Amino acid sequence: MQEPEVSLRIAMHYIQGRKTCANVNVSIDGAHVKTKETIHFDIEGFLHENGYVKCDGLDHRWQGEYGCPDSAYRIVVSSKPGVGDVTIALPDGKTLFIESKKFKSGSGGEYPAMREAIGQLMTGCPDHPDVIPVVAVPYSSKSAELAQKWSSSKRMRMAGIRFMLVRDD
């Protein structure tokens, strides 16, 4: 599962599950989408397959607002650095600040990807009591094992870091 898919699946889950009270912001590095003429991830195609359509009139760009007919809120896709890969306003007034990662090919990709996301949260997540830092990665038995182990770490609990393990369904 590619990094943009991890982020977009989380956004769709929170919107469709009515677990947010605002549009969900997803920031995707342009290099994850396309380099020169090579398309790495078709955002519009992926969202269309999942019931979302571009609804801001800017059809020539992959950035923009995507809506689902049965939802009041939209996914707002941008490529702004330093704002978190996904930010979600929760009904209780808190905000999820999510750093998403994919696993590099081969075995053992979970450990470096999850550690990189933890480092990004420790250095880039706003230090506010209503902001919840979250590492989001594809589900695997190894990512589940690491999330369980690291969630019980006193330092991780003190930092308030949570884990989301994303499946393709």
Side-chain angles (χ1 to χ4, degrees):
M1 182 181 305
Q2 295 184 49
E3 189 172 308
E5 183 178 352
V6 171
S7 296
L8 292 169
R9 286 197 180 279
I10 292 167
M12 291 184 304
H13 174 79
Y14 274 80
I15 289 172
Q16 292 166 346
R18 293 175 169 72
K19 298 177 180 184
T20 184
C21 57
N23 290 341
V24 174
N25 295 304
V26 177
S27 180
I28 297 174
D29 182 339
H32 291 294
V33 177
K34 182 179 178 183
T35 51
K36 296 190 182 195
E37 299 305 315
T38 304
I39 296 175
H40 304 289
F41 187 80
D42 178 8
I43 289 177
E44 290 183 76
F46 174 80
L47 287 170
H48 182 75
E49 287 173 15
N50 287 280
Y52 285 78
V53 294
K54 192 92 186 293
C55 51
D56 59 8
L58 301 174
D59 295 336
H60 62 285
R61 298 175 45 123
W62 55 266
Q63 298 96 333
E65 293 187 17
Y66 295 83
C68 185
D70 60 342
S71 177
Y73 301 115
R74 296 177 175 178
I75 298 173
V76 180
V77 178
S78 71
S79 54
K80 297 176 189 170
V83 296
D85 293 328
V86 185
T87 53
I88 302 172
L90 301 176
D92 66 1
K94 296 189 183 297
T95 299
L96 298 178
F97 187 94
I98 302 167
E99 285 295 338
S100 303
K101 294 292 169 208
K102 71 172 187 170
F103 302 142
K104 297 200 176 16
S105 59
S107 63
E110 294 89 346
Y111 189 83
M114 293 171 76
R115 287 193 63 194
E116 180 182 350
I118 291 166
Q120 287 178 292
L121 289 169
M122 293 300 291
T123 59
C125 183
D127 189 15
H128 190 279
D130 289 337
V131 175
I132 301 168
V134 180
V135 169
V137 294
Y139 173 86
S140 72
S141 58
K142 186 63 174 179
S143 65
E145 175 189 323
L146 291 172
Q148 179 70 33
K149 177 181 175 185
W150 291 347
S151 291
S152 64
S153 159
K154 183 177 180 181
R155 285 187 188 205
M156 201 70 71
R157 286 193 323 270
M158 287 176 56
I161 294 175
R162 313 282 173 82
F163 294 89
M164 285 186 186
L165 306 178
V166 179
R167 295 179 188 260
D168 62 5
D169 61 358

